Amino acid sequence: MYVAYDEDTERALMELQQIASDHDPIHDDPAPNARIVDLGKNEVTVQAEFWVEDPMKSDVPTVRSDFRRLVKRRFDEEGITLAPPSAQSLSGELTVDERRSDPTSNGS
């Protein structure tokens, strides 16, 4: 999962860990963990680690999907940006000048 550099990464990690702790299919022992796994060019990669009941008998893709949905919802509520809105931020001004076309002009 990617978090924008201007976010509070420690807060994002704590939220990930709390979401995992509160999600019923996830075991409390060993306790869920969250860590930074990479510092990318435009984002910080964070990862939650947790255990579920026997993976051969559990619907692991559904547990992962439900967890991601909970993360998205919580991060939206907390105002934590999951990924940068774009690779670059642009600023400045834009001016538009209206040109009147000359009906006798051939476009040159």
Side-chain angles (χ1 to χ4, degrees), residues 96-102 107-108:
V96 178
D97 293 330
E98 183 178 330
R99 289 189 180 182
R100 300 196 183 262
S101 62
D102 182 355
S108 315

Side-chain angles (χ1 to χ4, degrees), residues 19-31:
I19 294 163
S21 294
D22 293 344
H23 193 40
D24 285 338
I26 296 174
H27 282 265
D28 293 330
D29 188 26

Side-chain angles (χ1 to χ4, degrees), residues 80-95:
I80 299 172
T81 304
L82 274 176
S86 68
Q88 298 177 4
S89 294
L90 302 176
S91 64
E93 295 180 14
L94 176 66
T95 318

